[in-house]
């Protein structure tokens, strides 16, 4: 930890208007005390940020953080914070039976700011959930009373209810399970997040069950309940859902982002509301790697940098009403990520086995959260 930190010659990027200003930033006891063209101040550490953009720390709105040996999550301080991500939302790694274990390990210990969705299944996502039985293999694990009791107790650190509907997760009556989750969410007045991949539900029924502020995740996954029809057009039920205020999240994942689908959607103006990773121990070594890599894919497919950064800062902060800075300002907490927008030839892969080459890469340089500085490995 440093009592004083001085950043020299960084390009402060205002994500609201896209304006960049080259400034020095002085931080004392975790608070930004001064911003000016040139500051002649001694500090415990001086960071050279020349030709680097400075933005508020990023938000990953979909990741898995339950990093005990029997879970699929990753320690946010090791894999997120060092890459410019200062706030992470865990998406249903734990359920009512093990949320307190998750809470002790992550929410109460991490330097990274975190909140979570509670899994509708009381057991949460089991280890090896891609090839073994999922959390709703036993329908009895979708226990309304247990969920409500745990959610009510910890409601100040929870954001909603999460359900996964893939056949290996929910093999018995997925529509009935979703109806039950809708009922619980209405009863508690909370949003739900739906993982729809390959769900055995008619797409019109699924999308019509989503309400304002509910989240459809894995937006660009290739399946029958995806966002495109057989002709590659955005489905009418999808457009109607967005019009109602349903939120569409990226959540790249192992196999949940097809660059083919993403390109077709972007060409029709269907951008995600948030860019996120679904980062866990099954995709950190590819194809996801981290949030900056995921952002870089969108930039190389034509999304302007300002819009991409908006979807990992301002958008999730407003959607979830997070206590988080979205501008670098005097008298505010130091919550800053520094990046270099590299130019060159960069190879990317999606979750569908396709590869493509881009000419830009958003490379993390350092992260400041309060009084600490973190560097990528």
């Amino acid at each position: 930890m440093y009592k004083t930190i001085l950043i020299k010659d960084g390009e402060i990027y205002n994500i609201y208007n896209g304006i960049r200003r080259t400034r020095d930033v002085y931080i004392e006891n975790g608070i930004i005390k001064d911003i000016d063209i040139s500051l002649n101040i001694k500090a415990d550490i001086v960071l050279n940020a020349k030709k680097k953009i400075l933005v508020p720390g990023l938000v990953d709105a979909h990741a898995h953080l339950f990093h005990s040996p029997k879970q699929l999550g990753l320690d946010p301080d090791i894999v997120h914070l060092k890459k410019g991500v200062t706030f992470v939302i865990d998406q249903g790694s734990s359920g009512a039976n093990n949320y307190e274990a998750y809470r002790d390990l992550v929410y109460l210990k991490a330097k990274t700011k975190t909140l979570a969705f509670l899994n509708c299944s009381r057991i949460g996502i089991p280890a090896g959930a891609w090839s073994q039985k999922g959390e709703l293999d036993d329908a009895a694990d979708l226990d309304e009373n247990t969920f409500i009791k745990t959610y009510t107790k910890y409601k100040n650190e929870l954001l909603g209810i999460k359900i996964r509907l893939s056949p290996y997760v929910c093999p018995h009556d997925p529509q009935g399970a979703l109806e039950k989750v809708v009922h619980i969410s209405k009863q508690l007045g909370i949003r739900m997040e739906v993982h729809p991949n390959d769900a055995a539900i008619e797409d019109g029924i699924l999308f019509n069950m989503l309400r304002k502020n509910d989240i459809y995740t894995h937006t660009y996954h290739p399946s029958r309940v995806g966002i495109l029809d057989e002709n590659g057009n955005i489905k009418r039920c999808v457009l109607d859902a967005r019009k109602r205020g349903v939120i569409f999240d990226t959540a790249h994942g192992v196999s949940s982002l097809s660059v083919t689908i993403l390109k077709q959607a972007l060409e029709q103006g269907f951008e995600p509301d948030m860019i996120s990773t679904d980062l866990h121990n099954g995709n950190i070594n590819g194809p996801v790697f981290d949030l900056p890599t995921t952002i870089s894919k969108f930039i190389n497919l034509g999304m302007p940098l300002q819009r991409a950064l908006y979807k990992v800062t301002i958008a999730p902060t407003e959607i979830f009403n997070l206590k988080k800075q979205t501008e670098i300002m005097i008298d505010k907490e130091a919550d800053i990520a520094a990046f270099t927008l590299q130019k060159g030839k960069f190879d990317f892969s999606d979750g569908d086995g396709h590869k493509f080459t881009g000419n830009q890469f958003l490379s993390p340089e350092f992260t400041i959260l309060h009084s600490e500085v973190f560097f990528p490995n």
Side-chain angles (χ1 to χ4, degrees):
M1 296 182 73
Y2 299 97
K3 182 177 180 181
T4 55
I5 302 169
L6 180 61
I7 306 173
K8 296 291 291 182
D9 299 319
E11 293 185 21
I12 296 178
Y13 198 128
N14 186 316
I15 299 169
Y16 287 94
N17 57 27
I19 293 174
R20 302 190 197 190
R21 300 173 301 149
T22 300
R23 296 289 189 269
D24 293 353
V25 181
Y26 177 67
I27 299 161
E28 187 176 315
N29 295 321
I31 303 297
I32 298 172
K33 289 296 185 180
D34 204 356
I35 299 174
D36 211 334
I37 293 174
S38 182
L39 293 173
N40 241 343
I41 303 174
K42 289 185 178 181
D44 295 335
I45 183 171
V46 178
L47 300 167
N48 180 7
K50 191 170 185 178
K51 295 184 179 180
K52 298 175 178 60
I53 60 172
L54 305 179
V55 297
L58 309 184
V59 179
D60 194 336
H62 189 133
H64 294 281
L65 307 178
F66 201 174
H67 56 91
S68 73
K70 295 182 179 181
Q71 302 295 332
L72 54 77
L74 297 163
D75 186 334
D77 294 347
I78 294 175
V79 303
H80 290 277
L81 197 50
K82 295 179 179 181
K83 297 296 184 74
V85 180
T86 58
F87 207 123
V88 185
I89 296 171
D90 180 273
Q91 282 293 344
S93 299
S94 62
N97 285 3
N98 55 5
Y99 177 72
E100 289 184 343
Y102 165 86
R103 183 176 190 266
D104 290 342
L105 182 66
V106 180
Y107 179 73
L108 296 178
K109 286 186 178 179
K111 296 174 181 177
T112 311
K113 299 176 182 180
T114 70
L115 291 172
F117 275 68
L118 189 64
N119 200 300
C120 67
S121 168
R122 59 190 173 189
I123 67 172
I125 300 176
W130 302 283
S131 58
Q132 302 174 13
K133 292 180 179 180
E135 61 266 25
L136 293 175
D137 185 73
D138 184 349
D141 285 327
L142 207 173
D143 186 290
E144 180 178 333
N145 292 333
T146 306
F147 181 93
I148 290 174
K149 182 179 178 181
T150 300
Y151 197 97
T152 302
K153 184 176 181 179
Y154 296 110
K155 62 183 179 181
N156 291 333
E157 55 206 59
L158 295 169
L159 293 170
I161 183 170
K162 171 73 178 292
I163 183 168
R164 300 197 305 157
L165 293 171
S166 296
Y168 70 93
V169 176
C170 185
H172 315 294
D173 190 17
Q175 184 173 329
L178 182 57
E179 288 171 350
K180 195 168 184 178
V181 168
V182 171
H183 172 74
I184 294 170
S185 66
K186 286 181 178 179
Q187 191 171 345
L188 290 173
I190 60 177
R191 62 163 37 107
M192 61 179 182
E193 174 145 344
V194 177
H195 161 130
N197 304 31
D198 298 310
I201 305 177
E202 291 299 320
D203 52 4
I205 293 174
L206 189 153
F207 282 104
N208 287 337
M209 291 174 74
L210 299 174
R211 305 149 302 155
K212 182 178 181 180
N213 295 326
D214 287 338
I215 300 172
Y216 176 92
T217 193
H218 304 307
T219 294
Y220 305 104
H221 79 280
S223 90
R224 185 182 53 79
V225 289
I227 62 171
L228 300 183
D229 64 21
E230 61 275 9
N231 297 315
N233 298 315
I234 305 294
K235 294 172 181 174
R236 171 50 57 186
C237 59
V238 173
L239 296 173
D240 289 343
R242 170 158 275 182
K243 197 176 294 184
R244 287 197 302 278
V246 173
I247 294 160
F248 289 82
D249 180 38
T250 302
H252 188 311
V254 174
S255 57
S256 295
L257 186 145
S258 162
V259 71
T260 302
I261 293 172
L262 176 56
K263 282 180 177 178
Q264 289 176 293
L266 292 178
E267 286 170 0
Q268 296 172 66
F270 199 90
E271 297 181 352
D273 293 294
M274 300 182 289
I275 295 175
S276 63
T277 61
D278 186 26
L279 195 65
H280 52 67
N281 61 23
N283 61 39
I284 188 170
N285 295 316
V288 179
F289 298 105
D290 51 44
L291 187 55
T293 300
T294 304
I295 296 167
S296 298
K297 294 177 184 181
F298 279 84
I299 295 170
N300 281 287
L301 291 173
M303 183 177 287
L305 177 62
Q306 181 186 353
R307 287 195 62 74
L309 290 174
Y310 181 93
K311 295 174 187 299
V312 292
T313 53
I314 298 168
T317 299
E318 292 182 347
I319 287 168
F320 296 115
N321 194 26
L322 305 179
K323 294 178 180 178
K324 173 138 187 9
Q325 301 304 319
T326 53
E327 291 186 77
I328 298 172
M329 300 171 65
I330 293 173
D331 292 331
K332 299 297 184 181
E333 180 188 24
D335 180 356
I336 300 170
F339 296 93
T340 300
L341 188 60
Q342 297 181 349
K343 306 291 185 180
K345 184 179 179 181
F346 305 96
D347 294 325
F348 299 98
S349 58
D350 66 3
D352 209 21
H354 297 114
K355 300 182 185 299
F356 68 99
T357 300
N359 58 16
Q360 300 179 85
F361 187 83
L362 191 66
S363 178
E365 300 292 342
F366 61 80
T367 310
I368 299 173
L369 185 58
H370 198 64
S371 299
E372 293 192 72
V373 183
F374 306 87
F375 298 95
N377 294 333

